[in-house]
Amino acid sequence: QEYLDFRKERSGMLLSRRNQLLLEFSFWNEPQPRQGPNIYELRTYKLKPGTMIEWGNNWARAIKYRQENQEAVGGFFSQIGELYVVHHLWAYRDLQSREETRNAAWRKRGWDENVYYTVPLIRTMESRIMIPLKISPLQ
């Protein structure tokens, strides 16, 4: 009953809702439980239609530049819902380590080339910082 009451209350607060069915990129590791504390960054890219294969091919090479600190959690693309949407999930100890890790990628030979080839494929991008709930296996 408590859950039903919550759903009724929640429905009065919702203005809209979207769903997506996602698949993971084959070159990205499957998300694994992590010790914390961590923060997570969810980066969402909306691509130009017809560019998903090119995006995937570039990121299959680029992901090696972002594995050093094991920050790469998961990479997914939409199958149902809004299409040509990619989500990358990254783990960091805090915002400072996020900045340091991202800056370190730019110092690696080849990272800039991968960025150069993927940026023209993007229509919009968004970054969200998330803090896991205590029940989450991703701490």
Side-chain angles (χ1 to χ4, degrees):
Q1 184 59 43
E2 184 179 343
Y3 177 71
L4 294 175
D5 292 342
F6 167 75
R7 281 185 51 188
K8 185 176 179 180
E9 182 181 346
R10 180 190 65 186
S11 67
M13 296 183 270
L14 289 176
L15 299 176
S16 67
R17 182 177 176 162
R18 295 179 314 176
N19 292 312
Q20 281 186 318
L21 178 62
L22 304 172
L23 293 177
E24 64 187 10
F25 285 106
S26 60
F27 56 83
W28 208 300
N29 297 328
E30 186 173 322
Q32 298 294 320
R34 290 177 183 254
Q35 295 296 315
N38 289 301
I39 62 167
Y40 290 85
E41 179 180 18
L42 179 64
R43 294 182 70 89
T44 300
Y45 303 89
K46 294 182 181 178
L47 306 180
K48 295 175 184 175
T51 61
M52 186 64 71
I53 291 173
E54 188 176 354
W55 177 273
N57 288 339
N58 277 292
W59 266 97
R61 290 186 297 276
I63 193 65
K64 68 182 176 187
Y65 298 104
R66 297 295 306 273
Q67 298 280 358
E68 193 171 285
N69 295 322
Q70 299 181 342
E71 70 270 15
V73 177
F76 312 94
F77 60 95
S78 58
Q79 276 296 122
I80 295 177
E82 186 175 2
L83 300 177
Y84 294 98
V85 177
V86 173
H87 302 282
H88 292 175
L89 185 60
W90 307 94
Y92 305 101
R93 284 186 319 277
D94 51 36
L95 289 174
Q96 181 64 39
S97 69
R98 174 188 177 271
E99 181 179 0
E100 292 166 1
T101 300
R102 291 176 53 80
N103 288 340
W106 285 103
R107 292 190 292 274
K108 295 176 184 171
R109 185 178 173 157
W111 174 252
D112 57 345
E113 184 178 325
N114 282 290
V115 172
Y116 175 81
Y117 287 116
T118 57
V119 166
L121 309 178
I122 301 170
R123 284 191 164 168
T124 64
M125 55 192 289
E126 180 180 6
S127 172
R128 294 182 181 143
I129 300 296
M130 304 182 301
I131 299 171
L133 296 173
K134 290 178 183 177
I135 61 170
S136 173
L138 294 175
Q139 290 298 310

